[in-house]
Amino acid sequence: ASSASLLLTEANVDRLAETLCRLRGAALKGGQMLSFNDAEVLPPVVRNLLDRVRDGADVMPEWQLQRTLQDQLGDEWRAHLTEFEEAPIAAASIGQVHHATLLDGRRVALKVQYPGVSDSIASDLWSMRQLVERTGVVPRGLFLDRVLDVAREELIEECDYVNEAANTRDFKRLLAPYPEFSVPAVVPQLSAARVLCTEWMPGKPLDKAAADGMPASERDRVGARLLWLTLTELCTHRFMQTDPHWANFRHGPR
């Protein structure tokens, strides 16, 4: 057996998944980007790894969360809220998301970036590459160098929450004439360079909604509208929401 096949074990996959989730940031982002390749051509142990890193990251300790919010929003940030849930509802590659309630009763999602993520992109991607190569979980032909180059470019943009807030406002304005699409409003008083607050969007992630018995007619309708949206973004607006994670699209009541 080759050295790569000897290294490709369940134990090594477990170690790699745990390490990527602990590193978070660029390392986890690179692993998540690998998960969007055609998983059917990969060995089962690799598919298991990619499923785990797609959905998981280690959350910030409470003291770090509180310090980040205070540094970004000021000492009185809680005065804008009637409720803030300390436990995150999601932890992704560069930040975690918390439920909160504004003074006017609106439910919001507060996304808080992990400290130091933007400063450690290059070193994190180097660490991720070493881990992947040493454990042998990525077969030849997956163009790892290109995946990591794209991950670096995307991470630089994703770490800029001011830019993301501006893009969200633009996207909401462009889709305002189409009521079947909803884009959350940005909450400026709770948004900063490393914190982004938007209205909470109800509904199920699109992939889960499709798996939970969505009727064929509704699947066809949603697919057709997403195709229309993609072509409209490309050809009319020249402005796209391009994160390919299906959990970024939610399906709610019409």
Side-chain angles (χ1 to χ4, degrees), residues 7 39 48 57 74 98 136 143 149 159 176 190 217 221 228-229 241 253:
L7 289 169
N48 176 59
H98 295 258
F143 305 104
D149 284 343
C159 287
L190 288 169
S217 59
R221 186 189 74 85
W228 176 88
L229 177 62
Q241 191 286 113

Side-chain angles (χ1 to χ4, degrees), residues 172-204:
K172 185 174 181 62
R173 174 180 53 81
L174 290 171
L175 292 188
Y178 312 105
E180 70 267 47
F181 297 107
S182 297
V183 179
V186 173
V187 180
Q189 64 269 29
L190 288 169
S191 297
R194 300 290 180 257
V195 177
L196 178 62
C197 185
T198 64
E199 291 177 318
W200 174 254
M201 303 300 289
K204 288 185 179 181

Side-chain angles (χ1 to χ4, degrees), residues 108-232:
V108 295
L110 200 67
K111 183 165 68 170
V112 186
Q113 192 172 126
Y114 304 128
V117 166
S118 60
D119 299 324
S120 61
I121 292 174
S123 62
D124 281 357
L125 287 178
W126 182 88
S127 298
M128 185 266 179
R129 177 173 183 151
Q130 299 306 308
L131 285 166
V132 167
E133 289 181 342
R134 289 178 185 275
T135 50
V137 299
V138 177
R140 293 179 180 178
L142 245 64
F143 305 104
L144 182 58
D145 287 340
R146 182 56 184 153
V147 170
L148 297 183
D149 284 343
V150 173
R152 179 183 57 80
E153 295 169 2
E154 287 197 0
L155 270 162
I156 290 172
E157 290 190 2
E158 283 191 39
C159 287
D160 185 353
Y161 284 1
V162 173
N163 182 61
E164 183 174 347
N167 287 340
T168 302
R169 292 188 189 97
D170 287 344
F171 208 71
K172 185 174 181 62
R173 174 180 53 81
L174 290 171
L175 292 188
Y178 312 105
E180 70 267 47
F181 297 107
S182 297
V183 179
V186 173
V187 180
Q189 64 269 29
L190 288 169
S191 297
R194 300 290 180 257
V195 177
L196 178 62
C197 185
T198 64
E199 291 177 318
W200 174 254
M201 303 300 289
K204 288 185 179 181
L206 192 55
D207 53 351
K208 292 183 180 179
D212 288 347
M214 184 186 292
S217 59
E218 181 65 0
R219 291 169 66 101
D220 290 345
R221 186 189 74 85
V222 171
R225 296 311 292 159
L226 285 177
L227 178 59
W228 176 88
L229 177 62
T230 300
L231 294 175
T232 300

Side-chain angles (χ1 to χ4, degrees), residues 73-86:
L73 302 177
D75 295 340
E76 304 300 322
W77 65 271
R78 278 185 177 269
H80 298 288
L81 301 169
T82 60
E83 181 186 9
F84 175 76
E85 297 182 10
E86 306 283 349

